[in-house]
Amino acid sequence: MNIVWKIEKLNRRESDGYVTAANVKVYADDGIGNNFIELACSWPNGEMLTPYEQLTENQVLSWVFASCDKEAIELSLNFQLTKAPKLNVGLPWTTLQ
């Protein structure tokens, strides 16, 4: 199973530029099906004191992982994919010769 964590958006205070929240999308693909979970992590006091211009996605992901249960989220996606009915996609007339 391939799981990718992606930062979609950051909120930051105008006064000092410190990040107060991150919107995250976690994608999972098992080669047959795919799914995703969206979540938001917040640090309302701007505890994560790295200036906005110096942030990397890996830095923000480390904050996200410290704020949520990464393993539980990935297990949930895995469970959803293994329990979901497998669907085939296509059009019957495109395979006719």
Side-chain angles (χ1 to χ4, degrees):
M1 165 132 1
N2 184 34
I3 296 180
V4 176
W5 290 71
K6 185 77 178 152
I7 303 297
E8 296 285 310
K9 180 176 78 171
L10 295 175
N11 294 346
R12 60 188 164 115
R13 286 194 304 236
E14 196 171 292
S15 63
D16 58 16
Y18 289 124
V19 171
T20 58
N23 290 33
V24 183
K25 199 175 263 190
V26 187
Y27 300 90
D29 187 327
D30 67 358
I32 299 170
N34 57 63
N35 202 354
F36 67 91
I37 292 175
E38 294 179 294
L39 59 128
C41 295
S42 64
W43 312 279
N45 297 324
E47 309 83 56
M48 306 312 185
L49 300 178
T50 301
Y52 182 79
E53 296 78 20
Q54 296 175 16
L55 289 174
T56 65
E57 186 170 22
N58 284 338
Q59 174 71 44
V60 177
L61 283 172
S62 73
W63 299 347
V64 169
F65 297 154
S67 299
C68 70
D69 189 339
K70 179 181 184 239
E71 184 178 343
I73 291 167
E74 291 181 354
L75 285 171
S76 175
L77 279 167
N78 184 38
F79 179 79
Q80 290 173 33
L81 284 177
T82 58
K83 297 301 178 193
K86 302 303 178 199
L87 304 173
N88 291 320
V89 177
L91 301 169
W93 52 86
T94 60
T95 58
L96 299 176
Q97 297 297 325

